[in-house]
Amino acid sequence: MKPTHIQTLYTLQDLVTRGFRESRPGEFPYRRGPYASMYTQRPWTIRQYAGFSTAEETNAFYHKALASGQKGLSVAFDLATHRGFDSDHPGVEGDVGMAGVAIDSVEDMKRLFRGIPLDKVSVSMTMNGAVLPVLACFVVAAEEQGLQPETLTGTIQNDILKEFMVRNTYIYPPAPSMLIVSDIMAWTHKHMPRFHSISVSGYHMQEAGATPVQELAFTIANGLAYLDAARQAGLGVDDAAPRFSFFFGIGMDFLTEIAKLRAARELWATLVRERFQPGNEKSLLLRMHCQTSGWSLTAQDPLNNVVRTTIEALAGVLGGTQSLHTNSYDEALSLPTDTAARIARNTQLILQEETGLCRTIDPLAGSYAVESLTADLIDEALKLIREVDGMGGMMRAIEAGMPQRKIQESAAARQAVIDSGEETLVGVNAFISEEAGSVEVFDVDNRKVREHQIRELERVRSQRDPAAVENSLLRLEETAGRISGENHGLQEKNLLQLMVDAARQRATVGEMTAALERVWGRHRTDSVPVTGVYRTTYKDKALLMEIVKEVEEFARKEGRRPRILVVKLGQDGHDRGARIVAAAFADIGFDVDLGPLFLTPAEAARQAIENDVHMVGVSTLAGAHKTLIPQLISELKQAGAGDIAVVAGGVIPEKDALWLKDNGVLEVFGPGTKIPEAARKVLRHLSTPSKQNE
């Protein structure tokens, strides 16, 4: 699934045809890099994304990583924190500490960075939904290290638009969410001049199924929307743009990924100059962090992932990234083990120290293929950006569902190509080894972590001044009710400032989030699968039609089609897998209900019963399967619906898959499962019902 037509041969004429112009690194339009010297004076920053379990355990990991050559920290928060819930909230029972570190208050943040000088170590935080309370806790934690905000360096992601598009860790509706983005840009401009107030992320779009062109176009369009928001908050382009950074995913399409990063810099510089007329040349610079693809990692023969990650890292470096995260080979199965994390980190050290990549600047400049692909990507992305402009901008496009639909269609088409063997994945659908063996996986005891967090929450609440906390939360709620969005970012009642005040009083992340939620509510989206794409794209039509006929035979015998409810449980909003499965099963002939995000097991069971389904399929990515899936089975049994079968799919280690089957799950489909095979297996189970859930 290439976004551009890659020719078998490129010549000088291709550069002439595409209007190639010679340029230098550090000069407009910055195709060759934002800085004149690039890696010859300073290599890219090794910034590994990490967080798990408790603040104490993550802190120990950070100390080891810094001692091993890592130059900056990138914090992964658990899904409860992302969604603005404290660890004792009943809706996050399976999520606490599972896909990142649990942060409930300033005290957790202080433990997270204990012994780490925040004025010397750059910190990147991937946080969007609960960005206000988390950033406030970070500021206060640094303050209690004796540091002023102006000494801090790093990045807060603060990219809410892509959450509405693909990642789904939003909290509030779009309009007030954009006010939050503006307030953070305004406050950090005044108080944190060395800190990047926003990281515009394409990475999560790629992980959700976007093509390189879609990732490029929608990321740049989001960045332009944030510059508009900054202007509406009273900031000039030269106040805001130099504090922007960007975040791209790097997949396995090697030459295209290199070209994508070079195209991103030229697109941003050109469009910002055209639309905003900055006076400061730094406003045109697109600085980026990159991460190797998590989606490209395979659970089958996982040591192959060491090679995949190395190739992707090399593409990121040749594209000119300023910092880089390399994924660990075992992340298709679990959080990374220490061994896997060390190999991932050393991959970057070897590239920096042993390959000579840092001796020259943009070594692929002038390449017929790379320059041609860069020009093609710019042209194709501009078409998509103009389509967004024609809809009234990125917010309007998102409200209309345009980028979401395009990305979901691309994901479904890509899966069909892989399932039918048209695209080769070594060890998955070709060159399969019987000797691959298993690997050690990292296991977090979710119940133990949650119990620890609840004890810490109780301690914090018992030692604070309740009246001071209540007053700080009341000020937050009142301000959220008053602000209209017109230049509010520069007013005294900036929401981030009020959050900092509340965090000093030891208000928790959940309490601060709830104060705004009482005014704005929580955002909800409808889940509708994109149908038709998988069936159209799947190459082996004969095989697909065989399964379609089996579905029709089932319907003839049973009087109705097989019906399945596809759900995500807990706070896991990564729904690429759920959407693809729902779309493909519908194309095969199943009646498919796609549940809304963030269901509890009780809610999922109720929907399954109300919809009269034969089976519930649970898609899981964030490690909560051992807690939430057994609860779903229990809820079905208690409601007298134990005959509704439960299957699971996603990132589930083999030992967990066996445990789930022992506890009532009919089938577990791991990463790399071909959807037609899964559909056929499900259909045969439904034709000969199992009694194990009754």
Side-chain angles (χ1 to χ4, degrees):
M1 294 296 294
K2 302 292 190 295
T4 55
H5 174 67
I6 296 184
Q7 299 167 201
T8 54
L9 176 67
Y10 289 90
T11 68
L12 179 60
Q13 185 58 40
D14 291 293
L15 300 192
V16 173
T17 301
R18 289 169 171 87
F20 173 72
R21 298 185 305 276
E22 182 59 68
S23 63
R24 297 180 66 84
E27 295 179 1
F28 184 87
Y30 305 103
R31 180 184 287 200
R32 298 195 61 192
Y35 306 117
S37 59
M38 288 301 289
Y39 305 144
T40 60
Q41 287 192 1
R42 181 183 175 185
W44 67 91
T45 299
I46 300 172
R47 190 189 298 279
Q48 293 297 93
Y49 180 56
F52 56 90
S53 186
T54 63
E56 292 88 344
E57 289 196 49
T58 303
N59 174 263
F61 180 89
Y62 287 167
H63 277 283
K64 285 192 290 186
L66 291 169
S68 301
Q70 188 168 314
K71 302 301 182 184
L73 299 177
S74 185
V75 184
F77 297 95
D78 73 356
L79 289 167
T81 306
H82 272 290
R83 295 270 293 146
F85 294 114
D86 288 333
S87 296
D88 58 356
H89 190 282
V92 300
E93 185 178 349
D95 297 302
V96 177
M98 291 305 294
V101 60
I103 299 293
D104 293 318
S105 72
V106 169
E107 294 301 320
D108 284 331
M109 195 70 81
K110 287 169 66 176
R111 286 191 293 273
L112 182 65
F113 295 112
R114 182 169 290 156
I116 297 172
L118 292 176
D119 57 339
K120 295 181 173 61
V121 175
S122 172
V123 176
S124 171
M125 290 179 284
T126 300
M127 178 53 62
N128 303 282
V131 62
L132 283 171
V134 167
L135 183 54
C137 287
F138 176 73
V139 169
V140 176
E143 187 176 273
E144 296 184 10
Q145 273 193 9
L147 304 173
Q148 293 304 308
E150 56 264 25
T151 66
L152 303 176
T153 61
T155 304
I156 187 79
Q157 193 161 97
N158 193 28
D159 175 9
I160 200 63
L161 291 178
K162 69 95 174 42
E163 297 297 328
F164 294 115
M165 291 166 62
V166 291
R167 191 163 174 258
N168 300 313
T169 59
Y170 46 71
I171 298 175
Y172 312 111
S177 295
M178 285 296 282
L179 298 183
I180 290 172
V181 172
S182 300
D183 267 16
I184 290 171
M185 287 192 285
W187 196 90
T188 53
H189 170 68
K190 182 177 180 180
H191 298 285
M192 301 173 75
R194 301 172 62 200
F195 202 84
H196 292 278
S197 59
I198 193 165
S199 174
V200 190
S201 174
Y203 176 85
H204 301 98
M205 299 180 202
Q206 184 185 97
E207 292 293 280
T211 66
V213 166
Q214 290 168 347
E215 180 191 1
L216 179 59
F218 293 144
T219 303
I220 296 297
N222 280 351
L224 296 171
Y226 292 130
L227 275 185
D228 278 330
R231 185 162 53 185
Q232 291 167 17
L235 293 172
V237 62
D238 292 327
D239 296 325
R243 299 269 60 83
F244 276 37
S245 67
F246 288 77
F247 175 26
F248 290 100
I250 307 295
M252 285 295 291
D253 194 353
F254 185 67
L255 293 178
T256 300
E257 295 294 348
I258 295 167
K260 180 183 73 182
L261 303 187
R262 303 172 87 249
R265 288 191 293 269
E266 183 164 334
L267 266 174
W268 180 250
T270 303
L271 292 174
V272 170
R273 175 184 276 187
E274 175 187 299
R275 299 186 184 194
F276 295 91
Q277 295 86 47
N280 183 353
E281 196 75 7
K282 290 184 178 179
S283 296
L284 303 177
L285 302 185
L286 186 150
R287 306 161 195 82
M288 68 178 72
H289 171 72
C290 290
Q291 181 173 339
T292 62
S293 171
W295 181 84
S296 70
L297 303 178
T298 66
Q300 296 88 343
D301 215 348
L303 289 176
N304 287 339
N305 295 330
V306 177
V307 181
R308 293 186 177 99
T309 295
T310 303
I311 291 167
E312 292 168 350
L314 182 59
V317 171
L318 291 173
T321 188
Q322 277 62 70
S323 68
L324 181 64
H325 166 91
T326 34
N327 284 331
S328 301
Y329 67 80
D330 54 357
E331 289 187 65
L333 298 167
S334 71
L335 289 170
T337 60
D338 285 348
T339 298
R342 186 181 71 252
I343 291 171
R345 187 168 53 249
N346 286 351
T347 298
Q348 295 197 52
L349 289 171
I350 290 167
L351 288 175
Q352 285 186 355
E353 303 295 336
E354 298 187 27
T355 64
L357 281 170
C358 296
R359 295 177 194 157
T360 190
I361 303 164
D362 193 21
L364 295 186
S367 157
Y368 300 152
V370 171
E371 297 291 2
S372 298
L373 285 169
T374 302
D376 289 346
L377 285 166
I378 290 170
D379 290 345
E380 292 182 47
L382 275 172
K383 292 175 187 175
L384 204 44
I385 291 170
R386 292 189 187 106
E387 185 178 346
V388 169
D389 291 341
M391 299 181 74
M394 204 63 201
M395 180 76 85
R396 294 284 178 264
I398 290 169
E399 289 172 348
M402 184 271 273
Q404 299 96 305
R405 184 181 64 255
K406 286 183 180 293
I407 291 171
Q408 289 164 25
E409 287 172 350
S410 297
R414 179 79 182 277
Q415 190 63 48
V417 167
I418 292 169
D419 284 351
S420 59
E422 194 174 354
E423 178 179 336
T424 297
L425 292 183
V426 174
V428 178
N429 63 3
F431 308 105
I432 298 169
S433 172
E434 299 297 329
E435 302 174 358
S438 59
V439 298
E440 177 189 1
V441 296
F442 188 95
D443 194 20
V444 173
D445 187 337
N446 163 245
R447 288 182 175 83
K448 184 178 177 181
V449 176
R450 188 164 186 259
E451 288 168 2
H452 169 88
Q453 290 301 117
I454 290 173
R455 287 195 301 270
E456 291 300 325
L457 275 167
E458 290 170 347
R459 187 178 65 81
V460 167
R461 289 170 179 151
S462 69
Q463 294 177 358
R464 66 189 186 179
D465 181 342
V469 172
E470 187 61 33
N471 286 336
S472 68
L473 295 174
L474 184 60
R475 285 195 297 274
L476 268 172
E477 188 174 344
E478 290 174 344
T479 301
R482 284 200 307 268
I483 58 177
S484 64
E486 184 177 353
N487 291 333
H488 77 281
L490 298 182
Q491 293 176 5
E492 183 181 349
K493 297 301 184 183
N494 179 287
L495 287 172
L496 179 53
Q497 180 60 59
L498 292 174
M499 287 276 182
V500 169
D501 295 340
R504 287 184 183 127
Q505 301 301 328
R506 293 317 190 253
T508 67
V509 169
E511 290 166 343
M512 290 186 273
T513 300
L516 302 185
E517 186 182 343
R518 285 191 286 273
V519 179
W520 294 333
R522 274 194 179 255
H523 184 63
R524 297 285 186 269
T525 57
D526 295 327
S527 297
V528 180
V530 174
T531 56
V533 175
Y534 187 93
R535 186 167 180 168
T536 301
T537 311
Y538 193 87
K539 186 178 180 181
D540 190 349
K541 296 292 192 296
L543 172 61
L544 208 60
M545 291 311 298
E546 281 181 21
I547 304 171
V548 169
K549 288 178 181 177
E550 290 178 22
V551 171
E552 291 171 349
E553 179 62 19
F554 178 95
R556 188 186 64 78
K557 289 181 178 178
E558 300 293 328
R560 64 179 182 129
R561 292 181 177 276
R563 191 175 191 92
I564 184 170
L565 170 66
V566 180
V567 297
K568 303 283 293 183
L569 298 177
Q571 302 306 310
D572 179 8
H574 297 83
D575 62 350
R576 173 179 181 158
R579 287 186 176 277
I580 288 174
V581 167
F585 268 60
D587 284 356
I588 290 168
F590 282 69
D591 283 337
V592 179
D593 298 307
L594 181 57
L597 290 171
F598 315 124
L599 289 176
T600 65
E603 290 168 337
R606 185 161 57 250
Q607 185 169 349
I609 294 166
E610 289 173 354
N611 292 9
D612 193 21
V613 303
H614 294 97
M615 180 175 287
V616 180
V618 181
S619 173
T620 178
L621 185 71
H625 46 268
K626 288 180 70 174
T627 300
L628 299 180
I629 295 177
Q631 289 180 9
L632 169 63
I633 293 171
S634 176
E635 292 284 350
L636 289 170
K637 288 180 178 178
Q638 289 177 29
D643 58 327
I644 296 177
V646 175
V647 297
V651 178
I652 303 174
E654 185 178 352
K655 65 183 180 65
D656 287 3
L658 295 173
W659 184 89
L660 287 171
K661 287 184 177 181
D662 287 341
N663 285 270
V665 175
L666 196 61
E667 287 286 350
V668 176
F669 302 107
T673 300
K674 295 178 181 178
I675 292 178
E677 293 178 1
R680 177 169 267 167
K681 188 172 286 190
V682 162
L683 190 62
R684 289 175 180 172
H685 277 302
L686 294 179
S687 299
T688 55
S690 168
K691 303 296 182 184
Q692 60 183 314
N693 286 342
E694 295 180 4

